[in-house]
Amino acid sequence: MEYLLFHSEELEDVVREIPGLTHSFRRFGEVEVIAVTEGMDTAVVRYERYVVVVTRSLRPHREPVARYAVETGTNLKREFAGGRYETRGDTILLEGSFDEDLVYGHLIALLCEITTARILAKDSRLRAEHLTRDETEIISDTVRILEGAGKMEISALEKLALELSSLKAKFFSSYMTFKDENEEIGLAILKARKISRSLEGLLSEWIDELAFELESLKYYETSFEQTLSGVRDALETVHLRLEMLHRGENLELQRRTSSLQAAAAIIEFVAVFYYSMGIWDKYVGLSNYPKWATFTLLATLSAVVVFYTEVIGEYLSEGRLGRKFAISTMVLVLTILAMFLIPLIF
């Protein structure tokens, strides 16, 4: 007897290939018998994500996901609830008395869970090999960035940090898929072990092999977690370095801006002083008055105008007038008033 496992999506195609099927409405635990041929020579059953064809003679054209043969044997060594058994490759030899519950129920559920674990373990092993290659690349880039972080310019460091972040995101996505597959393998093994124990150890050696394979995959999982942790630490180091470099640039920019502002204030002061002196001299003749008085008034006017320009700038940016505006306005008005009254005083 053969057990041919197909994906549940292939149900219609599988049924179409088997002549003489009639509907059946029987259940053996979680296994549902959908259709059978006369004399139960072939049965189509469903268990979770699989459609299983149990047959003595049928050879469907469609290739199954997995194929198991069940035959009778004698002088077998391993014991289980129905008698004795042995496995040779994907062939299961049975010795003893076994009923429909075993043939169409427990054994099918057990084989489906084992198949799920095998398929996922194979895929997970390939993914682990791919991730190992990516891990080597990402570790190499991380070491290169950490070694050059103290010497690189901001633009080069930012470019490498971006590349490392991209590699990390891609690696993390594949790692999470790998981790999810391992969890599914573990769940399938738990289900298979539960069914095997209910049959007092049937196919327990296959389950043990899968459990050992899962432990091997878990080792990779631990290694990948450590790599991701190292990359996170490296990126934090790079970001701190970039922050320090940007802070240094900002301080330098602030220093230069302050120097330019001071130079602009001096130029503005000189310009206001010069043009105010020319205009004032034209109207009142400054040579007729004490130089200390005219110089003091011109210097005060120039300083107040420079300060007043800053106050007006703050008002335009912040939208509010403060105490500095009131004081500077008052000083400016008084200075201009004094300039007009100087002919009366001297």
Side-chain angles (χ1 to χ4, degrees):
M1 183 177 293
E2 280 193 313
Y3 289 72
L4 310 176
L5 277 63
F6 301 88
H7 292 298
S8 59
E9 295 83 0
E10 301 178 272
L11 174 60
E12 292 184 5
D13 296 327
V14 170
V15 169
R16 194 179 297 118
E17 289 186 13
I18 303 174
L21 283 175
T22 58
H23 289 293
S24 177
F25 302 97
R26 300 179 64 185
R27 294 188 68 89
F28 297 92
E30 296 183 19
V31 180
E32 177 186 5
V33 180
I34 300 173
V36 297
T37 59
E38 187 177 354
M40 295 288 286
D41 182 72
T42 299
V44 179
V45 304
R46 179 162 51 197
Y47 175 80
E48 294 188 357
R49 70 183 73 180
Y50 294 105
V51 170
V52 183
V53 176
V54 183
T55 182
R56 291 184 176 88
S57 59
L58 181 69
R59 295 292 182 272
H61 301 297
R62 186 174 298 276
E63 186 66 24
V65 174
R67 183 193 301 265
Y68 301 95
V70 178
E71 302 173 359
T72 57
T74 57
N75 299 321
L76 305 180
K77 298 178 180 179
R78 292 180 175 272
E79 295 183 354
F80 77 107
R84 295 177 179 274
Y85 81 97
E86 284 185 16
T87 59
R88 296 172 186 174
D90 285 336
T91 298
I92 304 168
L93 301 176
L94 297 177
E95 178 184 3
S97 59
F98 38 90
D99 54 16
E100 289 184 337
D101 283 334
L102 176 65
V103 175
Y104 298 106
H106 296 303
L107 184 56
I108 288 176
L110 181 56
L111 290 175
C112 287
E113 296 298 348
I114 288 173
T115 300
T116 296
R118 282 179 171 180
I119 292 173
L120 289 173
K122 183 179 179 180
D123 185 66
S124 190
R125 172 65 63 175
L126 292 174
R127 194 177 299 278
E129 293 174 359
H130 178 74
L131 280 168
T132 300
R133 291 193 293 270
D134 289 346
E135 183 183 32
T136 302
E137 181 182 356
I138 201 171
I139 289 175
S140 175
D141 286 347
T142 302
V143 171
R144 179 163 56 91
I145 286 176
L146 289 178
E147 288 178 348
K151 307 173 185 177
M152 291 181 180
E153 298 294 331
I154 290 180
S155 58
L157 195 58
E158 285 179 338
K159 182 180 178 181
L160 286 176
L162 184 61
E163 290 176 0
L164 183 59
S165 296
S166 178
L167 283 173
K168 176 196 168 189
K170 180 182 176 183
F171 185 83
F172 179 76
S173 177
S174 298
Y175 163 74
M176 289 305 298
T177 302
F178 174 75
K179 187 175 181 180
D180 290 342
E181 282 184 341
N182 287 348
E183 290 178 357
E184 288 189 52
I185 295 169
L187 181 60
I189 290 173
L190 285 175
K191 289 182 177 180
R193 198 177 293 281
K194 181 179 179 181
I195 298 169
S196 176
R197 285 174 178 169
S198 71
L199 298 172
E200 298 181 10
L202 181 62
L203 302 183
S204 59
E205 69 275 23
W206 284 3
I207 300 170
D208 291 340
E209 289 174 3
L210 289 167
F212 181 79
E213 175 68 8
L214 180 60
E215 285 301 314
S216 173
L217 293 171
K218 288 286 186 181
Y219 167 79
Y220 283 102
E221 190 175 314
T222 302
S223 173
F224 298 151
E225 285 178 353
Q226 292 174 348
T227 297
L228 282 171
S229 178
V231 173
R232 280 194 295 268
D233 293 342
L235 282 173
E236 287 181 5
T237 301
V238 171
H239 290 150
L240 285 174
R241 173 63 180 167
L242 283 171
E243 185 179 344
M244 291 175 60
L245 292 174
H246 282 303
R247 190 178 300 166
E249 278 193 343
N250 290 336
L251 289 174
E252 179 63 19
L253 181 60
Q254 289 176 2
R255 186 186 67 79
R256 292 181 180 179
T257 302
S258 298
S259 299
L260 290 173
Q261 288 176 339
I266 293 171
I267 293 171
E268 185 179 1
F269 177 88
V270 172
V272 172
F273 188 96
Y274 177 78
Y275 285 108
S276 297
M277 181 176 65
I279 295 171
W280 197 18
D281 184 52
K282 181 179 178 181
Y283 284 100
V284 300
L286 296 181
S287 59
N288 300 322
Y289 308 104
K291 288 182 173 53
W292 64 268
T294 56
F295 178 81
T296 301
L297 288 173
L298 284 171
T300 303
L301 177 67
S302 300
V304 171
V305 168
V306 172
F307 184 74
Y308 202 68
T309 302
E310 181 182 345
V311 172
I312 294 298
E314 290 181 0
Y315 167 71
L316 293 175
S317 61
E318 298 178 7
R320 62 185 182 86
L321 298 173
R323 181 179 299 178
K324 289 194 294 184
F325 177 80
I327 295 174
S328 59
T329 302
M330 183 179 65
V331 174
L332 180 61
V333 171
L334 291 175
T335 303
I336 295 173
L337 182 62
M339 293 172 70
F340 277 104
L341 294 177
I342 196 169
L344 301 176
I345 299 173
F346 299 96

